[in-house]
């Protein structure tokens, strides 16, 4: 098929064989304002800054959660390695003590009721994880 000579200022789609200036997402007339590329550096910088702040905040949250989890792990390890001659009941509070020889033991006796060296009081939750009580 032979292409007809059409002036440069006319928008014609040769594939569809029709004028399609009204279908374009941009202005096509000779008198239309000039298309200029906007400076996106400020927008990019704000986006990078926002992303950095979000990542830093998320990192801090994860770091705090990790530290909390590791502290809980250490307390649980210490309790499960300590001596006790009873089966702890879920939902009850127990007390961890340290003997003079460095050995740890778990007891139902509260620190104010004895002269042992207390390491803390702990609650056994439903998942059988010990939680330190302040």
């Amino acid at each position: 098929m032979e292409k007809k000579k059409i002036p440069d200022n006319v928008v014609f789609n040769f594939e569809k064989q029709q004028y399609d200036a009204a279908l374009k997402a941009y202005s096509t007339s000779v008198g239309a304002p000039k298309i200029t590329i906007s400076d996106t550096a400020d927008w990019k910088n704000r986006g990078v800054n926002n992303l950095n702040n979000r990542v830093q905040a998320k990192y801090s949250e994860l770091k705090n959660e990790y530290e909390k989890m590791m502290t809980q792990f250490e307390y649980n390890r210490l309790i499960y390695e300590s001596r006790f001659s009873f089966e702890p009941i879920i939902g009850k509070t127990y007390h961890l003590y340290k003997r003079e020889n460095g050995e740890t033991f778990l007891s139902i006796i509260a620190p104010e009721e004895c002269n042992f060296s207390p390491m803390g009081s702990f609650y056994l939750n439903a998942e059988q994880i010990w939680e330190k009580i302040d």
Side-chain angles (χ1 to χ4, degrees):
M1 174 178 239
E2 186 179 313
K3 291 185 180 180
K4 295 190 281 183
K5 181 70 175 156
I6 297 178
D8 289 342
N9 63 347
V10 175
V11 180
F12 186 79
N13 187 334
F14 287 101
E15 292 173 6
K16 296 182 180 178
Q17 289 297 310
Q18 65 182 14
Y19 296 96
D20 63 354
L23 303 176
K24 300 290 185 196
Y26 49 86
S27 181
T28 58
S29 70
V30 175
K34 181 174 115 177
I35 297 175
T36 57
I37 299 172
S38 56
D39 184 18
T40 58
D42 289 339
W43 179 83
K44 286 180 183 179
N45 288 337
R46 280 192 314 271
V48 167
N49 192 29
N50 288 340
L51 177 65
N52 287 342
N53 289 338
R54 286 183 183 188
V55 168
Q56 183 64 38
K58 187 66 173 178
Y59 171 76
S60 295
E61 290 172 10
L62 290 173
K63 183 179 175 187
N64 290 338
E65 188 66 28
Y66 172 76
E67 289 171 356
K68 180 181 170 186
M69 181 182 63
M70 289 309 294
T71 301
Q72 187 180 37
F73 171 77
E74 286 301 321
Y75 281 133
N76 276 271
R77 184 186 58 76
L78 188 61
I79 291 171
Y80 280 112
E81 289 177 355
S82 68
R83 283 183 72 101
F84 50 93
S85 57
F86 57 90
E87 184 176 329
I89 300 170
I90 292 174
K92 299 291 183 186
T93 300
Y94 297 92
H95 311 282
L96 187 65
Y97 298 100
K98 190 172 200 170
R99 289 197 168 105
E100 291 176 6
N101 65 1
E103 183 181 50
T104 58
F105 66 96
L106 195 64
S107 175
I108 59 173
I109 302 171
E112 55 273 356
E113 299 172 352
C114 65
N115 293 328
F116 302 130
S117 177
M119 295 181 69
S121 297
F122 297 88
Y123 171 80
L124 185 59
N125 70 18
E127 297 172 342
Q128 291 190 340
I129 296 175
W130 293 97
E131 296 176 2
K132 186 167 178 32
I133 299 172
D134 295 326

